[in-house]
Every structure is written in C-alpha cells, then in structure tokens.
Amino acid sequence: MRYFVAVAEELHFGRAATRLHMSQPPLSRAIKQLEADIGALLFTRSPVGVTLTPVGTVLLDEARALLDHADRVRVRVSAAAGVATLTVGILGDGTDPGVARLAAAYRRDHPGVDIRIRDTDLTDPTCGLRAGLVDIALTRAPFDETALTVRALRTDPVGVVLRADDPLARRDRLRLADLSDRRWFQFPQGTDPLWQSYWNGGRPRAGPAVRAVQECLQAVLWSGTVGLAPLGHDLPAELAVVPLIDMAPSRVVAVWNEGDTNPLIRSFVEIAITAYRH
Amino acid sequence: MRYFVAVAEELHFGRAATRLHMSQPPLSRAIKQLEADIGALLFTRSPVGVTLTPVGTVLLDEARALLDHADRVRVRVSAAAGVATLTVGILGDGTDPGVARLAAAYRRDHPGVDIRIRDTDLTDPTCGLRAGLVDIALTRAPFDETALTVRALRTDPVGVVLRADDPLARRDRLRLADLSDRRWFQFPQGTDPLWQSYWNGGRPRAGPAVRAVQECLQAVLWSGTVGLAPLGHDLPAELAVVPLIDMAPSRVVAVWNEGDTNPLIRSFVEIAITAYRH
DNA sequence: TGCAACAATACCCACAGGGTATCGGCGTTG
DNA sequence: CAACGCCGATACCCTGTGGGTATTGTTGCA
C-alpha cells in the first residue's frame, strides 16, 4: 500500500523508489504483484509518463484512508502503552531536509516522545489538522483559520513556474498581468478557497486539477499551464521559475487546533521558531 | 494484527494457531515481536490461561476495526476491477466445516464471484449486516429484524453448558427452573436485547460479559457461570452439555438487508437452503 | 512427587523481498 | 536518420523474515 501510494503520488517509479529509500526494480515488481493480486492494472506505463487507471484512482483514495487508519491505531496503542506521540504534518513531498533536522532536534530534546512526520498532498493546507490526522502542521498560509492557532515562521517570495522553453521564462521578473492569458492549474473542488485563490493568483482560468507537487510540475510540463511556487526549491531542468513582483510572499506557518492543550505542541513550536530564524 | 486478534479471541496460543492454520511456536514469536514493537505486553501468560492486558484490550478493538477496514478496501477495489464479491458473515469461530463446504459449492457454481467468509463475535447476531460489513449472514435467531429479511434454515435443540464436575451435569435433561440459582454470563451492553435475553434464558442474574465462544467456555470453566448452547457441537472434556426441555430450539437463519437487490444473495440463499435440508 | 498442559526456546529451511546489472522501447537530437 | 538517453521491465543473486519440528521450562494438580 505504501509503495503504491508513493508511485501514485510521484507518477514515476524511480522517484517513488528513492522516496521509499529503495531501488526501482523491487518497487516495479511489488506493484506488478499488487496488480496481479487485484486482477487489474493500476497504472498505464508509457515512456512519456505513468498515469493512474480508474482502478488505481479508486485504490489511491482507499489506500490513503487505510494507511491513515493504521497510523492512528499506532498512535492510540502507543498512548495506551504510555508512549507520547506527536504527529507533525508537512505539505507536499517531504524531501525538505529542514523538517528532518527539526525532528531530529526535537527527538534529542525529548527522548521519550515518538515524533512522526506525515506528508500531505496540496489539497489541504492544514494537513488534516481538523480531522485529527496530525497534532501540528508546518505549512503555508493562507487558509481558513477558524478554530486554529497560527504562528508565523518565515516568508518566501513567490515565482511562476513555466516550461523552460516558454518565451516568458527568459524574463528575470514578471507581473501577474503578464500571465493573464494563461491557463492555471486548479486544486480539486472542496479545497480551501483562500488557498486555492492564492496559488492561482486570483485567476479562475481553470486548467487541470492537481493534488501533489509532482502533478503540478507535470501539469506545467505537459499541458502548458502555469502555476505559482515559492522560490528557492530545485526544479527539473525542463522547468523554470521567474519571480513575481506583485504577489504577496508566501508565509510559512505552524498551525495547531485552538483548544489543544498538548504541551508537546508548545515545545515543538518553540524549537521550530528558533530553527526557522536562522 | 490477524494473529493478535486470533490469540485475543481464543485466549489460547495453541487454539489460535490451529485457527490460523499454523503451528504454535511461530505464533508465540510473532506476538512477542509485536509486543516488542509496541513496547508493552499485550497478554499476561500464566499456565492457568492467557488474558489481555489493558494495552491488549485497546489494541483488540483497534485491530478489529483496522482489519475490517482493510477487508472493505479489498471489496471496493475488487468491485472497481470488475470482480463481484459476496461477503458471508458467520457467528463464532468459523470451525464449522459446513460453511466451508457451502462456500466451496457456491464457488463451483459461480466461478467469477469472490466469496469471503467473515467470522464475527457473539455480540452481534447480524454479523455487521447493517453496518455493511457483510452481504448476508448465516446466524441464529432471535434478533431485531427491522429492515432485514430472514429465511429459516434449520432448528437445533438447546442445552446448558456446565462444568463436567457440576452435580447437574450428570442429569440427562434439565429445565430452566433447575438453574434458577445460577449466575449466567451476559453479553456486553449494547447487544441486541432479544438475543441477549434468549441466550440467558430470560434470567438477569448477571455473570461476566463475554464476546466470543471461547470466552463463554472459559466463563463456565473458571467462574462457574452457566450458559446455553445449541446441541451437537464438541466441547472440551472439562465441560458438559445437558439438554433443556423447556427452551425454544435455536433457529439457524440466513439474513440480509431488506432492500439489497444483489442477485448473488438470492443464489447463495438457494444453495444454503438445499445444503441445510440434508 | 510425578504428570499433564502450555507457552517459550532452539534450531532448521524456504522463499519473499531486498539488491545490482542489463535489456527494450520510445522519444529526442545533432 | 542514427545515436543517445530516459525509464520501466527482466534476470539473477543473496539475505533475513517467517514458516516448520523437537524440546525445554514452569506451574498447577493428582
């Protein structure tokens, strides 16, 4: 299940394998075996890329829910066994090494606490905070903040992601008006409106609906849409990012449920604040 | 998880192993490893018997729910892949070979259908029919039949289960009145009232609350309570069963949700009827 | 003080699931 | 248009998990 979700989110066997800390051939074999067990193909493989079949789409939702459930069982049973757990939600693929160092620092200071990192896709900036999937989220504003406590950590300037061969990609800065005739990728309906509107620059020119970082990049690469991203992340060579000068910078924040009195949250936020103020 | 649930339900490593179609030592080792992973003991082992620790009790509920969830994922994904599934609920430990033969007969007649047998504990005579855990239940009356369709299959005379050294165990038949001074085991609160009242002969003299067949037998063996059971099942040598002559016989029935138009249900019921009319 | 019951231990074996090296098919490019 | 590069599939190896049998250890019980 974890293997399948990784491939479905990356839409790329090689990348999924590195994310799972394993090599590509056993991953291919495992997926093949899963497909044999189910009796249907889960992915369409083509050299241009991997996509989900209808059966795969069904399984992706089910598998995510099942893995969430299993995680909650672990937390509850650990709690019954007297081991405190703090679940931290982060947005997108957890390749950001900053979070790993943060977690390591926290583990050093609180040896008895079991700290878990939970990646979420881009459709919920609160990382499932309201649903109880995480205790605290390290994420980006803006989103509906009712019943949540938000603490600012950092701001990042924002740029537009384009194909490297796009005429605009050679400019050293852009305005939103320069992109008025472009199609923007959207998030699926049901996504927080503030979030949705921020990341498509307030434009309703709907392109494909994406859920994950890799899907965003693929949307730009394949269907020629444009999308926004915070600066300072590495991109594949076929993509370029150009700073936007009339866009409010992206605020990195820590969020937790307003009434949550778990003392581990406070101490984690303290460590996060000092870590982000480098 | 499946191993743990089996041991927790049988409260006996050897029996759990046979139920899991494996031998006892690897099962012991697997549980030990699970306990190491969790960081707490799940069972208290003593030669007089195995009991759940508080952590084990928590895990039992969680593990049951998680296994149910996983089962439903399998069914839904199979459905998306075009494979029809029929889930049959049966009560108690599925050691009854009759059900296995029934399932085999059905598989022969309907090769494309994936038929699953799901054991349930004794606290829900409908085997989770209303919750959608099963499509059809082979179980025993009586229970609340609203919104359910019930089809009679057979009746079994009922007897009382006693310790073999109980004075009453030597009698060749008993009346309910002979047991008026005994404590009866109960089912946990929330259990269907009709069901509960039938199996304790209408007596409210509460003994321990049990969930599974093995717990019933242990309750009789250890705490000296009495309980009813249909005749014709083998019991351990320390227990005896004496026919009750003033007790309505137990009705074996097939049940399904009233509005369920799944044609597989009808055909399964047909096969069940002919199989039970031997 | 044996004896019976039952979980734990010791030890063995097979295969699932990991790894590396390589192939094949299909775009891209000079 | 041929050579190359990307990426998933295949071939093959090797370790460790998870199954098995035989035996021990402990504890009530006769």
Side-chain angles (χ1 to χ4, degrees):
Chain A
M1 289 291 101
R2 273 177 39 239
Y3 293 1
F4 167 75
V5 171
V7 176
E9 281 175 357
E10 299 286 343
L11 291 176
H12 188 293
F13 280 73
R15 277 197 302 267
T18 55
R19 180 170 136 187
L20 292 165
H21 305 293
M22 64 189 289
S23 61
Q24 171 258 322
L27 178 58
S28 284
R29 206 178 38 186
I31 297 293
K32 197 182 191 57
Q33 186 172 322
L34 179 61
E35 289 176 323
D37 284 352
I38 292 173
L41 289 179
L42 296 169
F43 298 102
T44 60
R45 286 91 155 162
S46 86
V48 58
V50 172
T51 55
L52 278 168
T53 63
V55 180
T57 312
V58 170
L59 181 60
L60 180 55
D61 285 340
E62 297 287 343
R64 279 201 181 109
L66 188 58
L67 291 173
D68 282 351
H69 190 167
D71 252 345
R72 267 177 298 191
V73 168
R74 268 198 285 232
V75 169
R76 291 200 201 121
V77 174
S78 291
V83 177
T85 305
L86 185 71
T87 309
V88 181
I90 58 174
L91 212 60
D93 52 356
T95 47
D96 179 8
V99 181
R101 277 189 285 107
L102 191 50
Y106 192 82
R107 275 196 199 94
R108 186 162 23 79
D109 291 3
H110 301 77
V113 178
D114 183 14
I115 179 166
R116 300 181 173 278
I117 307 295
R118 186 179 188 284
D119 285 355
T120 357
D121 62 40
L122 301 180
T123 61
D124 178 14
T126 67
C127 302
L129 202 53
R130 296 177 202 277
L133 293 177
V134 302
D135 298 311
I136 182 174
L138 297 181
T139 181
R140 291 178 182 276
F143 47 80
D144 175 18
E145 301 188 0
T146 53
L148 301 178
T149 307
V150 181
R151 187 78 159 76
L153 293 177
R154 197 179 66 195
T155 60
D156 291 326
V158 169
V160 58
V161 181
L162 303 158
R163 289 181 62 121
D165 56 5
D166 190 298
L168 294 181
R170 284 199 300 270
R171 309 268 285 273
D172 59 351
R173 56 201 163 86
L174 287 170
R175 295 172 180 278
L176 281 174
D178 298 322
L179 303 160
S180 54
D181 59 336
R182 302 302 186 98
R183 295 169 68 233
W184 295 67
F185 60 69
Q186 310 283 116
F187 295 113
Q189 63 175 359
T191 307
D192 187 296
L194 286 170
W195 174 255
Q196 163 107 12
S197 136
Y198 178 84
W199 288 109
N200 64 14
R203 309 294 161 113
R205 300 288 304 277
V210 299
R211 302 175 64 107
V213 173
Q214 291 301 333
E215 280 186 83
C216 296
L217 302 183
Q218 284 202 354
V220 173
L221 200 52
W222 293 1
S223 56
T225 58
V226 298
L228 302 183
L231 299 182
H233 292 269
D234 11 324
L235 288 174
E238 313 87 49
L239 293 177
V241 56
V242 180
L244 272 170
I245 58 178
D246 58 348
M247 180 81 191
S250 168
R251 294 186 290 126
V252 176
V253 297
V255 205
W256 60 97
N257 281 312
E258 203 167 65
D260 198 334
T261 58
N262 187 341
L264 302 178
I265 293 180
R266 285 320 283 205
S267 51
F268 187 87
V269 172
E270 297 306 322
I271 291 187
I273 289 172
T274 58
Y276 274 87
R277 182 177 50 212
H278 38 213
Chain B
M1 289 292 102
R2 273 177 39 239
Y3 293 0
F4 167 74
V5 170
V7 176
E9 281 175 358
E10 299 286 343
L11 291 176
H12 188 293
F13 279 74
R15 277 198 302 267
T18 57
R19 179 169 138 187
L20 292 166
H21 305 294
M22 64 189 290
S23 61
Q24 172 257 322
L27 178 59
S28 285
R29 205 179 39 186
I31 298 292
K32 197 182 191 59
Q33 185 173 322
L34 179 61
E35 289 176 322
D37 283 353
I38 292 173
L41 289 180
L42 297 170
F43 298 103
T44 60
R45 285 92 156 162
S46 86
V48 58
V50 172
T51 55
L52 278 168
T53 64
V55 180
T57 312
V58 170
L59 182 60
L60 180 55
D61 285 340
E62 297 286 344
R64 278 201 181 109
L66 187 59
L67 291 173
D68 282 350
H69 189 167
D71 252 346
R72 268 178 297 193
V73 168
R74 269 197 285 232
V75 170
R76 290 199 203 122
V77 174
S78 291
V83 176
T85 304
L86 185 72
T87 309
V88 181
I90 59 174
L91 211 61
D93 53 355
T95 47
D96 179 8
V99 182
R101 278 188 286 107
L102 190 50
Y106 192 82
R107 276 196 198 93
R108 188 163 22 80
D109 290 3
H110 301 76
V113 178
D114 183 13
I115 179 165
R116 302 182 172 275
I117 307 296
R118 187 179 188 283
D119 286 354
T120 358
D121 62 41
L122 301 180
T123 60
D124 178 15
T126 68
C127 302
L129 203 53
R130 296 176 203 278
L133 293 177
V134 303
D135 298 310
I136 181 174
L138 297 180
T139 180
R140 291 177 182 277
F143 47 80
D144 175 18
E145 300 187 359
T146 53
L148 300 178
T149 308
V150 180
R151 187 77 160 74
L153 292 176
R154 197 181 65 195
T155 59
D156 292 327
V158 170
V160 59
V161 181
L162 303 158
R163 289 181 63 120
D165 55 5
D166 190 298
L168 293 181
R170 284 198 299 269
R171 310 267 285 272
D172 59 349
R173 56 202 164 88
L174 287 169
R175 295 174 180 278
L176 281 173
D178 298 322
L179 302 160
S180 55
D181 58 338
R182 302 303 186 97
R183 295 170 67 235
W184 296 65
F185 59 69
Q186 310 282 114
F187 295 112
Q189 63 176 357
T191 307
D192 187 296
L194 285 170
W195 175 255
Q196 164 107 13
S197 137
Y198 177 85
W199 288 109
N200 64 13
R203 309 294 161 115
R205 301 285 305 277
V210 299
R211 303 176 62 107
V213 174
Q214 292 302 333
E215 280 185 84
C216 297
L217 301 183
Q218 284 203 353
V220 173
L221 199 53
W222 292 1
S223 56
T225 58
V226 297
L228 301 183
L231 300 182
H233 291 269
D234 12 323
L235 288 173
E238 313 87 49
L239 294 178
V241 58
V242 180
L244 273 170
I245 59 178
D246 58 348
M247 180 80 192
S250 168
R251 295 185 290 125
V252 177
V253 296
V255 205
W256 60 96
N257 282 311
E258 204 167 62
D260 197 334
T261 58
N262 187 341
L264 302 178
I265 292 179
R266 286 318 285 205
S267 50
F268 186 86
V269 172
E270 296 307 321
I271 291 187
I273 289 171
T274 59
Y276 274 87
R277 182 178 49 214
H278 39 213

